[in-house]
Amino acid sequence: DVKVTQSSRYLVKRTGEKVFLECVQDMDHENMFWYRQDPGLGLRLIYFSYDVKMKEKGDIPEGYSVSREKKERFSLILESASTNQTSMYLCASSPRPTGAYNSPLHFGNGTRLTVT
Amino acid sequence: QKEVEQNSGPLSVPEGAIASLNCTYSDRGSQSFFWYRQYSGKSPELIMFIYSNGDKEDGRFTAQLNKASQYVSLLIRDSQPSDSATYLCAVNTVIQGAQKLVFGQGTRLTINP
């Protein structure tokens, strides 16, 4: 079974702090993704990566950056946390490109981040 | 116009009945369609995908795709209380030249015993 592990389940940070969210997958997947999920807005893609050291902006990259130094690890960085970044953050991985018909996303358990 | 639209619900269905969840999408070129189930406080999990017009059955679940009308639906037969969850429709689409998976906002389904 694919396992995607997010380092923290709950996180509380102060405005202006630099925040790191870590994600590790154990299935040698090429593609990794960071989403945020908000009520009424659904899942929105922040960044994704299709290979080590490669990254692509998603729909809402502003205020975020990412790092992928190893294939199994994909980190999301909030450079200066703000209250509007309070959300549920979901990491996902996939063995094939997004467009492939048989390319399911395997999600981690999520990190609920609160910025005060 | 949102790329993928779902009725947010809540949709309430009696136990044993058929639950019908609908999703419309705007990109005519979309090729792959996914249904994810998300229990409260949990992450989404894939339950079905479909890419050809028509029906695809898996146990109590049937996905239906109509590309001409640009909708995809999920039927759950013999609904059980354990089916109570939010169901997310996801569609692969091309945005600014890149393929992306776009999610609807989800339909909250409640099965009443």
Side-chain angles (χ1 to χ4, degrees):
Chain A
D1 242 7
V2 176
K3 192 154 187 193
V4 180
T5 304
Q6 294 183 232
S7 55
S8 304
R9 188 80 175 96
Y10 299 95
L11 215 50
V12 180
K13 295 292 182 181
R14 294 195 183 277
T15 301
E17 276 193 82
K18 190 168 186 175
V19 182
F20 293 85
L21 302 183
E22 306 287 345
C23 175
V24 177
Q25 51 98 1
D26 66 357
M27 283 303 290
D28 203 35
H29 285 173
E30 303 287 340
N31 306 282
M32 296 188 74
F33 308 80
W34 275 106
Y35 287 87
R36 64 177 282 178
Q37 187 173 30
D38 301 286
L41 296 176
L43 278 158
R44 293 179 292 167
L45 181 64
I46 305 171
Y47 266 98
F48 66 101
S49 168
Y50 52 88
D51 202 352
V52 176
K53 295 193 186 294
M54 306 302 287
K55 61 183 178 184
E56 292 284 344
K57 292 180 180 178
D59 301 316
I60 50 164
E62 296 78 20
Y64 303 95
S65 63
V66 290
S67 172
R68 193 156 180 213
E69 296 297 318
K70 293 185 178 181
K71 191 174 187 179
E72 67 270 19
R73 187 180 297 269
F74 192 35
S75 304
L76 180 70
I77 304 154
L78 284 66
E79 298 292 344
S80 177
S82 64
T83 54
N84 62 14
Q85 292 178 309
T86 292
S87 185
M88 170 67 85
Y89 289 87
L90 290 163
C91 174
S93 72
S94 174
R96 285 170 285 277
T98 299
Y101 72 89
N102 57 347
S103 179
L105 293 176
H106 300 270
F107 286 90
N109 284 334
T111 296
R112 185 163 293 281
L113 173 67
T114 302
V115 182
T116 61
Chain B
Q1 182 189 2
K2 290 184 181 176
E3 285 112 358
V4 179
E5 292 209 49
Q6 296 180 255
N7 187 326
S8 61
L11 176 65
S12 190
V13 173
E15 184 176 357
I18 296 175
S20 177
L21 303 159
N22 299 312
C23 173
T24 58
Y25 59 95
S26 59
D27 179 9
R28 278 198 175 276
S30 296
Q31 297 293 322
S32 311
F33 308 86
F34 303 83
W35 283 101
Y36 286 81
R37 177 178 60 201
Q38 186 174 25
Y39 292 115
S40 181
K42 303 291 186 183
S43 57
E45 56 178 336
L46 181 73
I47 51 174
M48 288 201 75
F49 69 86
I50 187 168
Y51 55 94
S52 298
N53 268 332
D55 295 0
K56 180 181 178 182
E57 192 174 311
D58 183 1
R60 295 186 297 110
F61 297 92
T62 299
Q64 298 175 318
L65 175 61
N66 184 324
K67 289 185 178 179
S69 300
Q70 293 174 246
Y71 81 79
V72 56
S73 60
L74 180 70
L75 302 179
I76 307 174
R77 288 184 302 282
D78 188 23
S79 298
Q80 303 296 309
S82 60
D83 295 325
S84 297
T86 296
Y87 289 80
L88 303 171
C89 171
V91 178
N92 88 298
T93 190
V94 176
I95 299 175
Q96 295 179 332
Q99 292 233 26
K100 293 184 181 176
L101 196 63
V102 180
F103 285 83
Q105 65 178 24
T107 298
R108 188 154 55 95
L109 173 67
T110 301
I111 307 299
N112 300 307

